[in-house]
Amino acid sequence: MNTLETQKETWKQIWTRKGNADSTVTDLLAYDGYEATQVDMEEVARQIIERLDIRKEDKVLEVGCGAGALAQYLDCDYVGVDYSPTLVKKHIEFLNHSVLTGEAADLPFKDNSFDKVICYGVYLYFDNKEYAKAATEELLRVAKKGVLIGEIPMRSHREEHLLFQKDDFKDWDLSDGFYDPYRKDRFNALYVFS
């Protein structure tokens, strides 16, 4: 086995590969990494809408939007951003949303561009805490009313996942993860501007 074969695929490579898969809109959960789960994304969306108080007229940014597994259930003025160009392409192809390729820690938007910002199920894929801190600052920078970061892991079945503690989100309103609230190994962080 040569050196290239022994190297692990990076998260970015994994998401690019997933976006290149030949499938249909019915596979949005698989594109976005939920293929081996029992997640009810429509219910997750309902809970996010309720917690963040998303209204039809709100301009909402989803950071780490993937192919649109969550976005398909949001009824608002939606914009998405993801670092995988192949998933961005699938998202546009399937849902016809306004979606851009970009990094969570360097968002291509002006200050206060969106009423509300969502970043769901993404923090575990960041390379390190410094990147996560920069991403959090960016989410807050572009939001006017509120930010919800969902499914932040405290434990994981994969050593590649970046882990956090609730203390990493001081001054945020914390709740159990929407995904599997009975395991208590993930949490959500909500920040509402006063």
Side-chain angles (χ1 to χ4, degrees):
M1 191 179 277
N2 67 35
T3 306
L4 286 177
E5 290 173 329
T6 61
Q7 290 178 343
K8 285 187 174 183
E9 223 178 357
T10 66
W11 286 119
K12 197 166 194 172
Q13 290 167 328
I14 289 168
W15 298 120
T16 298
R17 177 175 45 78
K18 283 179 168 285
N20 280 327
D22 186 23
S23 286
T24 66
V25 72
T26 59
D27 298 312
L28 285 177
L29 287 174
Y31 278 121
D32 289 352
Y34 297 100
E35 64 273 11
T37 71
Q38 299 298 317
V39 66
D40 179 346
M41 197 58 77
E42 187 171 10
E43 174 60 18
V44 167
R46 186 195 66 72
Q47 291 186 52
I48 289 172
I49 290 164
E50 182 179 306
R51 292 274 296 155
L52 202 49
D53 189 27
I54 296 174
R55 299 164 190 247
K56 188 173 182 64
E57 66 274 6
D58 283 335
K59 188 169 185 179
V60 176
L61 173 67
E62 183 185 5
V63 177
C65 63
L70 174 63
Q72 67 183 319
Y73 300 111
L74 300 176
D75 184 18
C76 57
D77 183 1
Y78 178 91
V79 175
V81 66
D82 198 283
Y83 75 177
S84 168
T86 58
L87 288 177
V88 166
K89 183 178 176 193
K90 290 289 186 196
H91 192 138
I92 294 167
E93 176 185 326
F94 292 147
L95 301 175
N96 200 30
H97 284 151
S98 176
V99 185
L100 307 167
T101 302
E103 289 284 338
D106 187 21
L107 294 172
F109 307 106
K110 293 179 180 178
D111 294 358
N112 306 310
S113 295
F114 298 91
D115 294 308
K116 293 153 186 174
V117 177
I118 302 166
C119 189
Y120 181 80
V122 176
Y123 271 52
L124 68 164
Y125 300 115
F126 290 160
D127 290 336
N128 54 54
K129 292 275 185 95
E130 293 75 27
Y131 186 93
K133 183 176 187 277
T136 301
E137 290 170 1
E138 282 290 274
L139 301 178
L140 292 168
R141 180 184 67 78
V142 300
K144 285 189 260 191
K145 298 180 181 177
V147 174
L148 186 136
I149 303 170
E151 300 305 323
I152 305 166
M154 294 181 285
R155 290 181 299 281
S156 180
H157 63 285
R158 293 185 70 156
E159 66 181 40
E160 301 91 349
H161 289 163
L162 185 61
L163 304 179
F164 296 85
Q165 297 304 315
K166 290 182 176 181
D167 286 348
D168 294 326
F169 292 86
K170 291 180 180 150
D171 302 322
W172 291 65
D173 179 15
L174 305 180
S175 63
D176 291 336
F178 300 136
Y179 177 88
D180 189 355
Y182 306 105
R183 285 194 347 213
K184 308 273 190 221
D185 62 357
R186 296 186 180 199
F187 65 97
N188 303 312
L190 173 69
Y191 191 93
V192 177
F193 294 90
S194 40

